[in-house]
Amino acid sequence: MRSIRKIGIVGAGTVGGGIAMSIANAGIPVTLLDMTPEVVQRGLSLVRKNYESMVSKGKLSPTQFEQRMALILGSTDYLALADCDLVSEAAFEDLEVKKAISKRLGEVCKRGAIIASNTSTLDIDVLAIASGRPANMIGMQFFSPAHVMKLLEVVRGRDTSMQVLATAMAFAKKIGKSAVVSGVCYGFIGNRMLEGYLREAEFLLMEGATPAQIDAAIESTGMAMGLCRMIDMAGADVAAKVVLEQKKINALPDDSAYRALVRELYERQRFGQKKLAGYYRYEGRTARADIEVETICIQIAEQHGIQRRAQISDEEIIERCLYPLINEGARILEDGIAYRAGDIDVVWVQG
């Protein structure tokens, strides 16, 4: 295995900052890079705010806070990553953007450095070719919020070396993550299953269910958080960009209503908690029902000829949302994307 002593993250947004925190928590220096000083400083400020919240709750001592902040440096210069042992991009879900970053990392990273992508759906093999170093390229998909969630999907590309794969799995353990190995396909394990979950929830909303009703029904089964609150926390804009990338390559189903709601939320800049409006409106982190969302759902239903209903049972919500998870999990195992059934269980317990 290779030694990982210093790490770089490209993308100082919510996800990149969370990954940087996960690494600093393990005592490893990390450089957080973005295109402008303003974006870098905003990312570092968010990291500081998250750590300060942990201190106020007694989860972190003031000394630990200072130690961890000292491990996270900001930069706008790719050459600052030249001596890193592992560099992961955490840019938004756009194939051309991620290809450009992968190419640049292939140019500046030292010999033997591991180049990783935090993509949730895109083809690692395409990014590997762009990097010019396919044997050293791997997917490392953190789940939001990255400094909290235990799951890490390690995506083995067609040409990823066994040494790189073994190093990534050992690194995951070092930073306190529960790692599973996935093959390459749309969405890998977690997000491939998630797609059917999101699809049915959106249709239920257009048919007359409310975000609060869907979340309550899902949580009644033991899920820690309902689907609508989950997407608002992770970012409705992130969810929408996944759909928009699929649209670019004509990979969406032949149904104009498919994921129409999250696309409309994106157009209205209702990105979730960070904008204080998504499937809900927010007072701080407290979700409140928002009549505007119901109005949007009614408009989309009318536009696409979807019949609204006065009553939708919790049982229907649970079956339509959760059964696709089970079915897709079986297909993922059958396709060999997951090597073991237990890995699929880990994805949902830890992710």
Side-chain angles (χ1 to χ4, degrees), residues 207-235:
E207 291 167 25
T210 66
Q213 183 189 3
I214 288 176
D215 285 353
I218 294 300
E219 288 169 19
S220 74
T221 69
M223 290 279 198
M225 183 180 289
L227 181 145
C228 298
R229 284 202 301 131
M230 177 191 74
I231 293 299
D232 275 353
M233 181 181 69

Side-chain angles (χ1 to χ4, degrees), residues 139-340:
M140 296 183 71
Q141 156 71 347
F142 288 78
F143 286 72
S144 187
H147 61 291
V148 176
M149 301 300 286
K150 291 291 187 182
L151 179 63
L152 178 62
E153 277 189 346
V154 176
V155 184
R156 182 184 184 186
R158 179 179 57 242
D159 299 313
T160 303
S161 80
M162 285 299 296
Q163 186 185 59
V164 167
L165 179 62
T167 302
M169 294 297 286
F171 170 72
K173 187 175 182 179
K174 186 172 183 178
I175 63 172
K177 301 300 184 184
S178 298
V180 299
V181 177
S182 172
V184 176
C185 70
Y186 170 78
F188 316 122
I189 299 174
N191 284 293
R192 176 170 159 179
M193 287 193 290
L194 186 67
E195 185 62 25
Y197 187 40
L198 297 173
R199 176 197 68 223
E200 290 305 312
E202 283 204 19
F203 278 121
L204 284 161
L205 288 166
M206 290 185 278
E207 291 167 25
T210 66
Q213 183 189 3
I214 288 176
D215 285 353
I218 294 300
E219 288 169 19
S220 74
T221 69
M223 290 279 198
M225 183 180 289
L227 181 145
C228 298
R229 284 202 301 131
M230 177 191 74
I231 293 299
D232 275 353
M233 181 181 69
D237 56 327
V238 177
K241 284 173 181 175
V242 170
V243 180
L244 295 173
E245 279 299 298
Q246 287 297 98
K247 184 179 180 180
K248 287 181 184 177
I249 60 173
N250 296 316
L252 292 180
D254 187 18
D255 181 353
S256 60
Y258 184 81
R259 304 297 303 283
L261 178 53
V262 76
R263 286 188 269 175
E264 183 62 27
L265 295 179
Y266 178 75
E267 289 297 322
R268 298 185 185 218
Q269 296 192 338
R270 296 183 65 101
F271 297 165
Q273 281 188 16
K274 58 191 169 189
K275 288 285 190 176
L276 301 181
Y279 287 91
Y280 298 92
R281 63 178 176 84
Y282 286 85
E283 297 171 3
R285 293 188 177 183
T286 303
R288 305 291 188 192
D290 191 341
I291 189 65
E292 184 178 344
V293 174
E294 182 177 358
T295 301
I296 292 170
C297 290
I298 291 170
Q299 291 172 347
I300 295 175
E302 290 176 351
Q303 180 182 350
H304 296 283
I306 296 171
Q307 184 176 353
R308 299 275 293 179
R309 293 183 282 151
Q311 295 292 329
I312 296 177
S313 70
D314 287 355
E315 181 180 10
E316 179 180 348
I317 292 170
I318 292 167
E319 290 181 355
R320 284 179 60 180
C321 288
L322 297 189
Y323 285 5
L325 297 181
I326 299 167
N327 291 339
E328 198 60 39
R331 294 188 188 101
I332 287 168
L333 187 62
E334 184 178 43
D335 291 348
I337 298 300
Y339 300 137
R340 301 173 296 188

Side-chain angles (χ1 to χ4, degrees), residues 8-64:
I9 304 296
V10 180
T14 303
V15 175
I19 297 171
M21 288 178 68
S22 296
I23 294 163
N25 291 348
I28 304 171
V30 56
T31 297
L32 192 59
L33 180 141
D34 218 304
M35 295 301 99
T36 67
E38 293 77 17
V39 174
V40 172
Q41 286 306 312
R42 187 164 63 239
L44 292 173
S45 295
L46 180 59
V47 169
R48 178 174 289 275
K49 182 179 178 181
N50 286 335
Y51 276 138
E52 287 173 342
S53 176
M54 294 170 69
V55 172
S56 69
K57 294 174 182 176
K59 297 180 178 180
L60 200 68
S61 73
T63 299
Q64 289 173 317

